[in-house]
Amino acid sequence: MLENLTAQPADKILALMADYKADPRHDKVDLGVGVYKDASGNTPVMRAVKEAERRILADQSTKAYTGLAGDPAFGAAMRDLVLGDTVPAERVAAVATPGGTGAIRQALELIRMAAPGATVWLSNPTWPNHPSIIKYLGMKMAEYTYFDSVTRDVDFDGMLADLRKVAPGDVVLLHGCCHNPTGANLTYDQMSQVIGIMQEKQAIPFIDIAYQGFGDGLHEDAKITRQIARAFDNCLIAASCSKNFGIYRERTGVLMAVAKDADQKALTQQNLAFLNRQNYSFPPDHGARVVTTILNDPNLRADWEAELEETRNGMLTLRQQLADELKRLTNSDRFDFIAHHRGMFSRLGATAQQVETMRDKHGIYMVGDSRINVAGLNAETVPVLAKAIVASGV
Ligand code: LMR
């Protein structure tokens, strides 16, 4: 049987991680996978996470199953974090999932059950795992223009023109904040126009929000998701806790489905629990319990928010330092976009050849589309990267 298997395409981001590991150079710089690193290159366990884990270890009296949707307190805490009071709780179905990817996968399966003929529209570019999972599930997909490789900003006219081609019932996947891989984001007003077109076309929004708190702040980063959720009867939201709680390996995420009313919510909740049961039965609990403990304790929450702010401000500083250094070296403002982008990533707009040169000659690892993980930098490596960018002719 197993001889019938054929090799699967490698995930580009994960393949890059392996290449970086295998490189013996001591001065190599890892700007690949989206994992936060502090100035010493560590991915720390956040203070509030440590304390929540200590409390759980001391107080937890059972490891019995929770429920197919996970602990309802986690769903409620995440609904509050992402949606605030935008949509009444009786309209929001929620299930815990293994990470944000688990939430995306469950959302797509839900779409396939509810609207088998729908096309899922993705930004061009998007996180490579989006099209990969859609293809694997045998669903239809299409792309809408998103990035202008000259201005390195959103190609808004192109985006609107493509969204006008969406058919009724199609699903449009939008990044809630901190667009991955480009770092270029829509303004609130631009999103209002996108919403107008989507309403006119009777499209269904599906939001992937994996970096809340990494862009302009916890509340600011939720604004667009809330704006969309408010404007539609139905909306799917896949949220990840990997980055903003720094609990990557705990696989903690949530899928929320905003329903038209309480009856539709109950039906959706039942379907989401069914999907969890089919795919992995009960979702992982530890990370979800850590998140719930933090969000529901005012002191822990304040400490988590403070540390998240330090993280966010650190990335903004690195963005500014890199933009300034490139301004100094090129005597131009053509790299100012790096300071304007938000989140963990920026797409530099380098060619595949230039990306390769930076890797081979300068030991700098970025994804082939020239996405850099800003958090992979520090005060010492910023000038190294800036020099390599200029030397490679970007
Ligand atoms: C990334 O885009 O680098 C992250 O979301 C990590 C991943 O799983 O690809």
Coordinates of all heavy atoms in Angstrom, one line a residue, residues 8-65:
Q8 N 5.1 14.6 -1.1 CA 4.3 15.8 -1.1 C 5.1 17.1 -1.2 O 6.3 17.0 -0.8 CB 3.5 15.9 0.3 CG 2.6 14.7 0.5 CD 1.5 14.6 -0.6 OE1 1.0 15.6 -1.1 NE2 1.1 13.4 -0.9
P9 N 4.6 18.1 -1.7 CA 5.4 19.3 -1.8 C 5.8 19.8 -0.4 O 5.0 19.8 0.5 CB 4.5 20.4 -2.5 CG 3.1 19.8 -2.3 CD 3.2 18.3 -2.2
A10 N 7.1 20.2 -0.3 CA 7.6 20.7 1.0 C 6.9 22.0 1.4 O 6.7 22.9 0.5 CB 9.1 20.8 1.0
D11 N 6.6 22.3 2.6 CA 6.1 23.6 3.0 C 7.4 24.5 3.0 O 8.4 24.2 3.7 CB 5.5 23.5 4.4 CG 5.0 24.9 4.9 OD1 5.8 25.7 5.3 OD2 3.8 25.0 4.9
K12 N 7.3 25.6 2.3 CA 8.4 26.5 2.1 C 9.0 27.0 3.4 O 10.2 27.2 3.6 CB 8.1 27.6 1.1 CG 7.9 27.1 -0.3 CD 7.8 28.3 -1.3 CE 7.5 27.8 -2.7 NZ 6.1 27.8 -3.1
I13 N 8.1 27.4 4.3 CA 8.5 28.1 5.5 C 9.2 27.0 6.4 O 10.3 27.3 7.0 CB 7.3 28.7 6.3 CG1 6.7 29.8 5.4 CG2 7.8 29.3 7.6 CD1 5.4 30.4 5.9
L14 N 8.7 25.8 6.5 CA 9.3 24.8 7.3 C 10.6 24.3 6.7 O 11.5 24.0 7.4 CB 8.3 23.7 7.5 CG 6.9 24.1 8.2 CD1 6.1 22.9 8.6 CD2 7.2 25.0 9.4
A15 N 10.7 24.2 5.3 CA 11.9 23.8 4.7 C 13.0 24.8 5.0 O 14.2 24.4 5.2 CB 11.7 23.7 3.2
L16 N 12.6 26.1 5.0 CA 13.6 27.1 5.3 C 14.2 27.0 6.7 O 15.4 27.1 7.0 CB 13.0 28.5 5.1 CG 13.9 29.7 5.2 CD1 14.8 29.8 3.9 CD2 13.1 31.0 5.3
M17 N 13.3 26.6 7.7 CA 13.8 26.3 9.0 C 14.8 25.3 9.1 O 15.9 25.4 9.8 CB 12.6 25.8 9.9 CG 11.8 26.8 10.6 SD 10.3 26.1 11.3 CE 10.7 25.7 12.9
A18 N 14.6 24.2 8.3 CA 15.6 23.1 8.3 C 16.9 23.5 7.6 O 18.0 23.2 8.1 CB 15.0 21.9 7.5
D19 N 16.8 24.3 6.5 CA 18.0 24.8 5.9 C 18.9 25.7 6.8 O 20.1 25.6 6.9 CB 17.7 25.7 4.6 CG 17.1 24.8 3.5 OD1 17.2 23.6 3.6 OD2 16.6 25.4 2.5
Y20 N 18.2 26.5 7.6 CA 18.8 27.4 8.5 C 19.6 26.6 9.5 O 20.7 26.9 9.8 CB 17.8 28.4 9.2 CG 18.5 29.2 10.2 CD1 19.2 30.4 9.9 CD2 18.4 28.8 11.6 CE1 19.8 31.1 10.9 CE2 19.0 29.6 12.6 CZ 19.7 30.7 12.2 OH 20.3 31.5 13.2
K21 N 18.9 25.6 10.1 CA 19.5 24.7 11.1 C 20.8 24.1 10.6 O 21.8 23.9 11.3 CB 18.5 23.7 11.5 CG 18.2 23.6 13.0 CD 17.2 22.6 13.3 CE 17.0 22.6 14.8 NZ 15.8 21.8 15.2
A22 N 20.8 23.7 9.3 CA 21.9 22.9 8.8 C 23.1 23.8 8.4 O 24.2 23.3 8.1 CB 21.4 22.2 7.5
D23 N 22.9 25.1 8.3 CA 23.9 26.1 7.9 C 24.9 26.2 9.1 O 24.5 26.6 10.2 CB 23.3 27.4 7.6 CG 24.3 28.4 7.0 OD1 25.5 28.3 7.3 OD2 23.8 29.3 6.3
P24 N 26.2 25.9 8.9 CA 27.2 25.9 10.0 C 27.7 27.3 10.3 O 28.3 27.5 11.3 CB 28.4 25.1 9.4 CG 28.2 25.1 8.0 CD 26.8 25.4 7.6
R25 N 27.3 28.3 9.5 CA 27.9 29.7 9.8 C 27.4 30.2 11.1 O 26.2 30.1 11.5 CB 27.5 30.6 8.7 CG 28.3 30.4 7.4 CD 27.8 31.3 6.3 NE 26.6 30.8 5.7 CZ 26.0 31.4 4.6 NH1 26.5 32.4 4.1 NH2 24.8 30.9 4.2
H26 N 28.3 30.8 11.9 CA 27.9 31.3 13.2 C 27.1 32.7 13.2 O 26.4 33.0 14.1 CB 29.1 31.5 14.1 CG 29.7 30.2 14.5 ND1 29.0 29.2 15.2 CD2 30.9 29.6 14.2 CE1 29.8 28.1 15.3 NE2 30.9 28.4 14.7
D27 N 27.4 33.4 12.1 CA 26.7 34.7 12.0 C 25.5 34.7 11.1 O 25.0 35.7 10.7 CB 27.7 35.8 11.4 CG 28.3 35.3 10.1 OD1 28.0 34.2 9.7 OD2 29.1 36.2 9.5
K28 N 24.9 33.5 10.9 CA 23.7 33.4 10.1 C 22.5 34.1 10.9 O 22.5 34.2 12.1 CB 23.3 32.0 9.9 CG 23.1 31.1 11.1 CD 23.0 29.7 10.8 CE 22.9 28.9 12.1 NZ 22.7 27.4 11.9
V29 N 21.5 34.6 10.1 CA 20.4 35.4 10.7 C 19.1 34.7 10.2 O 18.9 34.6 9.0 CB 20.4 36.8 10.2 CG1 19.3 37.6 10.9 CG2 21.8 37.5 10.6
D30 N 18.3 34.3 11.1 CA 17.0 33.6 10.8 C 15.9 34.6 10.8 O 15.4 35.1 11.8 CB 16.8 32.5 11.9 CG 15.5 31.8 11.6 OD1 14.9 31.9 10.5 OD2 15.0 31.0 12.5
L31 N 15.4 34.9 9.6 CA 14.2 35.8 9.5 C 13.1 35.0 8.8 O 12.2 35.6 8.1 CB 14.6 37.0 8.6 CG 15.8 37.8 9.1 CD1 16.1 39.0 8.2 CD2 15.6 38.3 10.5
G32 N 13.1 33.7 9.0 CA 12.1 32.8 8.4 C 10.8 32.7 9.1 O 10.0 33.6 9.1
V33 N 10.6 31.5 9.8 CA 9.3 31.2 10.4 C 8.8 32.3 11.3 O 9.6 32.9 12.0 CB 9.4 29.8 11.1 CG1 10.3 29.8 12.3 CG2 8.0 29.3 11.4
G34 N 7.5 32.4 11.4 CA 6.9 33.5 12.2 C 6.9 33.1 13.7 O 5.8 32.8 14.2
V35 N 8.0 33.2 14.3 CA 8.1 32.9 15.8 C 8.8 34.1 16.4 O 9.8 34.6 15.8 CB 8.9 31.6 16.1 CG1 9.2 31.5 17.6 CG2 8.2 30.4 15.6
Y36 N 8.2 34.7 17.4 CA 8.8 35.9 18.0 C 10.2 35.5 18.7 O 10.3 34.5 19.4 CB 7.9 36.5 19.1 CG 8.5 37.6 19.8 CD1 8.8 38.9 19.2 CD2 9.0 37.4 21.1 CE1 9.4 39.9 19.9 CE2 9.7 38.4 21.8 CZ 9.9 39.7 21.2 OH 10.6 40.6 21.8
K37 N 11.1 36.4 18.6 CA 12.4 36.2 19.3 C 12.8 37.5 19.9 O 12.6 38.6 19.3 CB 13.5 35.8 18.3 CG 13.4 34.3 18.0 CD 14.5 33.8 17.1 CE 13.9 33.4 15.8 NZ 14.9 33.4 14.7
D38 N 13.3 37.4 21.1 CA 13.8 38.7 21.8 C 15.2 39.0 21.3 O 15.7 38.3 20.4 CB 13.7 38.5 23.3 CG 14.6 37.5 23.9 OD1 15.6 37.0 23.1 OD2 14.4 37.0 25.0
A39 N 15.8 40.1 21.9 CA 17.0 40.6 21.4 C 18.2 39.5 21.5 O 19.1 39.6 20.7 CB 17.4 41.8 22.2
S40 N 18.0 38.5 22.4 CA 19.1 37.5 22.5 C 18.7 36.3 21.6 O 19.4 35.2 21.7 CB 19.3 37.0 23.9 OG 18.8 38.0 24.8
G41 N 17.6 36.4 20.8 CA 17.3 35.3 19.9 C 16.5 34.2 20.6 O 16.2 33.1 20.1
N42 N 16.0 34.5 21.8 CA 15.2 33.5 22.5 C 13.7 33.7 22.3 O 13.3 34.9 22.1 CB 15.4 33.5 24.1 CG 16.8 33.2 24.4 OD1 17.4 32.3 23.8 ND2 17.4 34.0 25.3
T43 N 12.9 32.7 22.3 CA 11.4 32.8 22.3 C 11.0 32.5 23.7 O 10.8 31.4 24.1 CB 10.8 31.8 21.3 OG1 11.4 32.0 20.1 CG2 9.3 31.9 21.2
P44 N 10.8 33.6 24.5 CA 10.6 33.4 26.0 C 9.2 32.9 26.3 O 8.2 33.1 25.5 CB 10.8 34.8 26.6 CG 10.5 35.7 25.5 CD 10.8 35.0 24.2
V45 N 9.0 32.2 27.4 CA 7.7 31.9 27.9 C 7.2 33.2 28.6 O 8.0 33.7 29.5 CB 7.7 30.7 28.9 CG1 6.3 30.4 29.4 CG2 8.3 29.5 28.3
M46 N 6.1 33.7 28.3 CA 5.7 35.0 28.9 C 5.4 34.8 30.4 O 5.0 33.8 30.8 CB 4.4 35.5 28.2 CG 4.7 35.9 26.7 SD 3.2 36.4 25.8 CE 3.2 38.2 26.2
R47 N 5.6 35.9 31.1 CA 5.5 35.9 32.6 C 4.2 35.4 33.0 O 4.0 34.5 33.9 CB 5.8 37.3 33.2 CG 7.1 37.8 32.9 CD 7.3 39.2 33.7 NE 6.3 40.2 33.2 CZ 6.6 41.1 32.3 NH1 7.8 41.3 31.8 NH2 5.7 42.0 31.9
A48 N 3.1 35.9 32.4 CA 1.8 35.5 32.8 C 1.5 34.1 32.5 O 0.7 33.4 33.2 CB 0.7 36.4 32.1
V49 N 2.1 33.6 31.4 CA 1.9 32.2 31.0 C 2.5 31.3 32.1 O 1.9 30.3 32.6 CB 2.5 31.9 29.6 CG1 2.6 30.4 29.4 CG2 1.7 32.6 28.6
K50 N 3.8 31.6 32.5 CA 4.4 30.9 33.6 C 3.6 30.8 34.9 O 3.4 29.8 35.5 CB 5.8 31.5 33.9 CG 6.9 31.1 33.1 CD 7.5 29.8 33.7 CE 8.7 29.3 32.8 NZ 8.7 27.9 32.7
E51 N 3.1 32.0 35.2 CA 2.3 32.0 36.5 C 1.0 31.2 36.3 O 0.6 30.5 37.2 CB 2.0 33.5 36.8 CG 1.1 33.7 38.0 CD 1.5 33.1 39.3 OE1 2.7 32.7 39.4 OE2 0.7 32.9 40.2
A52 N 0.3 31.4 35.2 CA -0.9 30.6 34.9 C -0.6 29.1 35.0 O -1.4 28.3 35.6 CB -1.5 31.0 33.6
E53 N 0.5 28.7 34.4 CA 0.8 27.3 34.4 C 1.1 26.8 35.8 O 0.7 25.7 36.2 CB 2.1 27.0 33.5 CG 1.7 27.1 32.1 CD 2.8 26.7 31.1 OE1 4.0 27.2 31.3 OE2 2.5 26.0 30.2
R54 N 1.8 27.7 36.6 CA 2.0 27.3 38.0 C 0.7 27.1 38.8 O 0.5 26.1 39.5 CB 2.8 28.4 38.7 CG 3.5 28.1 40.0 CD 4.0 29.3 40.8 NE 3.0 30.3 41.1 CZ 2.1 30.1 42.0 NH1 2.0 28.9 42.7 NH2 1.1 31.0 42.3
R55 N -0.2 28.0 38.5 CA -1.5 27.8 39.2 C -2.3 26.6 38.8 O -2.9 25.9 39.6 CB -2.4 29.1 38.9 CG -1.9 30.3 39.6 CD -2.9 31.5 39.4 NE -2.2 32.7 39.7 CZ -2.8 33.9 39.6 NH1 -4.0 34.0 39.1 NH2 -2.1 35.0 39.9
I56 N -2.2 26.3 37.5 CA -2.9 25.1 36.9 C -2.3 23.9 37.5 O -3.0 23.0 38.0 CB -2.9 25.1 35.4 CG1 -3.7 26.3 34.8 CG2 -3.4 23.8 34.8 CD1 -3.5 26.6 33.4
L57 N -1.0 23.9 37.6 CA -0.3 22.7 38.1 C -0.7 22.5 39.6 O -0.9 21.3 40.0 CB 1.2 22.9 38.0 CG 2.1 21.7 38.4 CD1 1.9 20.6 37.4 CD2 3.6 22.1 38.4
A58 N -0.8 23.6 40.3 CA -1.1 23.5 41.8 C -2.6 23.1 42.0 O -2.9 22.3 42.9 CB -0.8 24.8 42.5
D59 N -3.5 23.6 41.1 CA -4.9 23.5 41.4 C -5.7 22.5 40.6 O -6.8 22.0 41.0 CB -5.6 24.9 41.1 CG -5.0 26.0 42.0 OD1 -4.4 25.7 43.0 OD2 -5.2 27.2 41.6
Q60 N -5.1 22.0 39.5 CA -5.9 21.2 38.6 C -6.1 19.8 39.3 O -5.1 19.2 39.7 CB -5.2 21.0 37.3 CG -6.1 20.4 36.2 CD -5.5 20.5 34.8 OE1 -4.3 20.2 34.6 NE2 -6.2 21.0 33.9
S61 N -7.3 19.3 39.4 CA -7.6 18.1 40.1 C -8.0 17.0 39.2 O -8.2 15.8 39.6 CB -8.7 18.3 41.2 OG -9.8 18.8 40.5
T62 N -8.1 17.2 37.9 CA -8.5 16.2 37.0 C -8.0 16.5 35.6 O -7.8 17.7 35.2 CB -10.0 16.0 36.9 OG1 -10.3 14.9 36.0 CG2 -10.8 17.2 36.5
K63 N -7.8 15.4 34.8 CA -7.4 15.6 33.4 C -8.5 14.9 32.6 O -8.3 14.6 31.4 CB -6.1 14.9 33.1 CG -4.9 15.6 33.8 CD -4.4 16.8 33.0 CE -3.1 17.3 33.5 NZ -2.8 18.6 32.9
A64 N -9.7 14.8 33.2 CA -10.8 14.2 32.4 C -11.2 15.1 31.2 O -10.8 16.3 31.2 CB -12.0 14.0 33.3
Y65 N -11.8 14.5 30.2 CA -12.2 15.3 29.1 C -13.0 16.6 29.5 O -13.7 16.6 30.4 CB -13.1 14.5 28.1 CG -12.4 13.4 27.4 CD1 -12.9 12.1 27.5 CD2 -11.2 13.6 26.7 CE1 -12.3 11.0 26.9 CE2 -10.6 12.6 26.0 CZ -11.1 11.3 26.1 OH -10.5 10.2 25.5

